[in-house]
């Protein structure tokens, strides 16, 4: 896992608190061509972005899990997630795992064909990849699904 060093922190835009962190990282991901609901993190305490290198980190209060209804996938998010973000590509991703059959698989890269085109590709360190429609990561639809679950 990439450590957020004091040197990185000195070069970064850093934000504290869930609301501002959610707003900033979702805006950044959307600007880079990813759906806003790609990383549905909860209770963010800090986020940072080093513009010159594209390094991003997101810190949550604790590990979280999310079920993407449209693709039938469980994903876990570590308390700290780091990555390098550029247009249509996230590399050196740490802290994200997806459940495939009975095992948790590390996701270390994410590529997009752009929001209009509609595909998001997830890659593992072993070179395996899976692609899904970007609509599976629409933020508004995820919120509606969570509200329906809470009503039951």
């Amino acid at each position: 896992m990439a450590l957020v060093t004091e040197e990185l922190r000195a070069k970064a835009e850093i934000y504290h608190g869930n609301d501002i962190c959610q707003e900033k990282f979702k805006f950044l991901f959307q600007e880079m061509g990813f759906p806003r609901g790609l990383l549905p993190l909860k209770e963010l305490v800090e986020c940072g972005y080093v513009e010159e290198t594209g390094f991003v980190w997101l810190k949550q209060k604790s590990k979280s899990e999310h079920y993407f209804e449209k693709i039938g996938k469980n994903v876990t998010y570590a308390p700290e997630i780091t990555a390098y973000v550029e247009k249509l590509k996230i590399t050196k991703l740490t802290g994200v795992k997806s459940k495939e059959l009975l095992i948790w698989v590390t996701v270390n890269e994410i590529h997009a064909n752009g929001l209009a085109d509609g595909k998001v590709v997830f890659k593992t360190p072993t070179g395996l990849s899976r692609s899904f429609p970007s609509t599976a990561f629409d933020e508004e639809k995820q919120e509606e699904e969570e509200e329906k679950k809470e009503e039951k």
Side-chain angles (χ1 to χ4, degrees):
M1 181 176 279
L3 296 174
V4 180
T5 63
E6 288 305 314
E7 183 180 336
L8 282 171
R9 293 178 74 81
K11 298 176 184 177
E13 294 177 37
I14 302 172
Y15 301 94
H16 296 89
N18 185 58
D19 292 341
I20 188 75
C21 287
Q22 292 282 351
E23 179 185 323
K24 291 294 183 181
F25 96 81
K26 286 178 181 179
F27 178 76
L28 172 65
F29 279 25
Q30 187 173 6
E31 286 291 302
M32 297 297 175
F34 293 97
R36 289 178 58 89
L38 185 63
L39 296 178
L41 303 176
K42 297 179 175 75
E43 298 181 10
L44 289 171
V45 293
E46 181 181 283
C47 66
Y49 175 55
V50 181
E51 188 173 3
E52 68 183 55
T53 62
F55 183 73
V56 172
W57 73 88
L58 305 157
K59 292 184 180 181
Q60 304 183 89
K61 283 186 180 179
S62 61
K63 177 181 171 180
S64 66
E65 191 170 317
H66 182 79
Y67 182 72
F68 289 97
E69 192 82 35
K70 284 188 167 184
I71 58 174
K73 295 287 175 200
N74 265 328
V75 180
T76 62
Y77 303 97
E80 183 174 305
I81 296 166
T82 63
Y84 287 87
V85 179
E86 59 187 83
K87 193 74 173 169
L88 304 177
K89 187 190 295 186
I90 298 172
T91 58
K92 297 182 182 177
L93 178 65
T94 66
V96 178
K97 292 183 178 185
S98 174
K99 193 161 193 179
E100 295 292 330
L101 297 175
L102 300 173
I103 59 171
W104 289 97
V105 179
T106 299
V107 176
N108 72 332
E109 282 189 32
I110 304 173
H111 300 264
N113 298 0
L115 296 176
D117 196 324
K119 290 283 183 201
V120 179
V121 180
F122 298 85
K123 294 186 177 183
T124 70
T126 61
L128 298 174
S129 66
R130 299 273 313 260
S131 66
F132 300 101
S134 63
T135 55
F137 308 101
D138 287 347
E139 184 178 44
E140 293 79 23
K141 291 182 175 99
Q142 288 178 24
E143 289 172 359
E144 289 172 13
E145 290 167 5
E146 287 177 15
E147 287 174 10
K148 286 179 186 175
K149 286 180 184 177
E150 290 174 7
E151 290 173 3
K152 290 180 182 179

